[in-house]
Amino acid sequence: MVKYFIAGESAALKQVESFQPLCWVDMVSPTDGEVEKVSRETKIPEDMIKAALDEEEMARTEFDEGCSMFVVDCPVIEESDAGDAYSTLPLAVIYNKNCIMTVCLKGNPVLKDFITGRTKVRCDSPVQFILNFMLGNSKRFLYCLKQIDRRSQRVQAELGSKLKNDDILQLLELENSLVYFSTSLNANAKVHEKLAKAEAVTGREDYRDVYDDLLIECNQAIEMCKIYKDTLSVSMDAYGSVISNNANDSMKKLTVITILLAIPTMIAGFWGMNMPVPFQAFNGETSTIWFWVVIGCTFIVTAAVAVLMLKTNILSRPKQPKAKRQRKNRKKK
């Protein structure tokens, strides 16, 4: 899909039907035919236009044949059955003396703000357009990071009462999203540094002010992403330890139950063998008294082993030292 917009210093942004000099060309998942047509109209090489159509494209800059291209990663929120999924997609901003062009596989919220008039832009000022877009993109990263942190806290609150596999998987997905965000933000920061060296930015104070705001927002997003990623990583390790401890407790209980059940099984096995054993009736005489004697002895031995295990704290968890005792020891020192 290809749209054309035009706006000057005092005019509001409006959509036009076809290409005009000094216009903004917005391309969202264009076809090969649209790429060829727009390349012919704008004099921008097709290779530059198709650069952002690769999902694995890294943030970078390129200058060729009078065209300047800035590729940055943008946050994307995708809806799924498990909740919102966060990832990044490359977006290219290309300009030459004829126009400004944006190319991406999906619609971008920052560009939607340009179209709706929430953010004022000028199509005849490419550097200002790029600065405003990068500033809005950094703010978008901050918004997504806050959403990830809120969702992480909500999932952790649910895990505090009961551990569930679905919640653990959600935290793992959020941790992966933070890794993508961290990589993208660091790559975008390098693109911002190259933009700062442009004469148009260094030569105008208003552009420099916008770039300073961009630098602050980008650094803040990088720091927030690092903090959230480290916090979530520590939480995942803690939940892993909790799951391991729960598994150990379950195995301990099952082992104790197996030991207690093995005692009557062993005794019953002795008296079930096809050979003479003590208290067995011979010469056709039968008696049930010794059956109950054996059963009673079995229960007594099993109970004695259970009591012995309880006294040795095999069935119970070791008690944690109380804080009061630690304080008394400190006072004595």
Side-chain angles (χ1 to χ4, degrees):
M1 183 176 60
V2 182
K3 294 182 180 179
Y4 302 92
F5 301 91
I6 190 167
E9 183 176 358
S10 57
L13 186 71
K14 64 178 181 179
Q15 185 174 354
V16 294
E17 296 296 331
S18 60
F19 174 78
Q20 295 183 13
L22 301 179
C23 70
W24 166 30
V25 183
D26 182 26
M27 305 181 70
V28 179
S29 187
T31 62
D32 293 338
E34 291 174 339
V35 171
E36 183 179 356
K37 176 186 175 183
V38 172
S39 176
R40 185 171 57 253
E41 292 174 344
T42 61
K43 308 301 180 184
I44 296 176
E46 292 185 17
D47 294 340
M48 278 191 172
I49 298 176
K50 293 182 179 180
L53 301 180
D54 182 9
E55 294 183 359
E56 304 299 329
E57 186 71 22
M58 295 294 295
R60 61 185 179 88
T61 58
E62 183 178 343
F63 306 95
D64 186 26
E65 299 180 5
C67 300
S68 302
M69 180 179 69
F70 296 86
V71 180
V72 294
D73 289 328
C74 304
V76 177
I77 304 176
E78 298 177 351
E79 296 182 357
S80 62
D81 296 337
D84 294 337
Y86 300 86
S87 60
T88 59
L89 274 180
L91 184 145
V93 182
I94 312 169
Y95 72 90
N96 60 6
K97 62 180 180 179
N98 298 322
C99 68
I100 304 173
M101 180 186 298
T102 56
V103 187
C104 190
L105 286 172
K106 296 182 180 180
N108 188 275
V110 179
L111 297 181
K112 289 182 180 179
D113 291 341
F114 290 178
I115 296 173
T116 56
R118 293 181 180 178
T119 303
K120 294 183 179 180
V121 292
R122 293 176 53 182
C123 299
D124 57 351
S125 180
V127 177
Q128 183 187 28
F129 185 97
I130 293 174
L131 286 172
N132 287 332
F133 171 75
M134 290 185 176
L135 178 60
N137 190 51
S138 297
K139 292 181 179 179
R140 183 69 179 174
F141 267 110
L142 288 173
Y143 170 78
C144 292
L145 287 171
K146 292 178 181 178
Q147 294 298 318
I148 290 176
D149 182 54
R150 291 176 183 175
R151 183 179 171 188
S152 174
Q153 292 180 359
R154 184 170 63 253
V155 174
Q156 291 184 40
E158 295 175 357
L159 283 173
S161 57
K162 186 177 181 181
L163 289 175
K164 297 180 181 178
N165 292 337
D166 293 339
D167 294 336
I168 296 294
L169 293 176
Q170 287 186 31
L171 289 180
L172 179 60
E173 184 179 354
L174 293 177
E175 188 176 12
N176 293 336
S177 299
L178 290 175
V179 173
Y180 296 144
F181 277 18
S182 177
T183 304
S184 298
L185 286 168
N186 289 323
N188 288 351
K190 295 180 180 179
V191 176
H192 299 162
E193 292 177 1
K194 293 184 178 180
L195 180 62
K197 299 177 182 179
E199 295 182 1
V201 177
T202 58
R204 293 188 55 170
E205 185 177 356
D206 55 344
Y207 287 179
R208 190 67 190 179
D209 292 339
V210 177
Y211 178 78
D212 291 340
D213 294 339
L214 166 63
L215 194 62
I216 292 172
E217 297 292 336
C218 183
N219 290 336
Q220 183 179 357
I222 292 174
E223 291 298 325
M224 286 178 60
C225 185
K226 181 180 179 181
I227 293 172
Y228 293 160
K229 185 174 66 173
D230 293 343
T231 303
L232 193 56
S233 178
V234 171
S235 300
M236 290 293 291
D237 293 340
Y239 289 129
S241 300
V242 171
I243 294 174
S244 179
N245 289 337
N246 292 340
N248 291 336
D249 291 341
S250 299
M251 292 302 298
K252 181 191 294 185
K253 293 177 181 178
L254 291 175
T255 302
V256 170
I257 293 174
T258 303
I259 293 174
L260 295 178
L261 291 178
I263 297 173
T265 302
M266 179 180 62
I267 296 175
F270 288 154
W271 265 264
M273 293 185 295
N274 294 324
M275 58 181 296
V277 293
F279 315 123
Q280 183 178 358
F282 294 98
N283 300 324
E285 298 179 2
T286 58
S287 176
T288 60
I289 186 171
W290 291 112
F291 171 80
W292 298 111
V293 170
V294 172
I295 293 296
C297 293
T298 302
F299 279 110
I300 292 172
V301 172
T302 304
V305 173
V307 171
L308 180 63
M309 288 183 175
L310 286 173
K311 289 184 177 181
T312 55
N313 293 328
I314 294 179
L315 294 177
S316 60
R317 295 183 179 179
K319 297 182 179 180
Q320 298 293 334
K322 296 182 179 181
K324 294 183 179 179
R325 296 180 181 177
Q326 295 179 355
R327 292 176 182 175
K328 289 181 180 179
N329 293 333
R330 291 178 183 177
K331 290 180 180 180
K332 291 180 179 179
K333 293 180 180 180

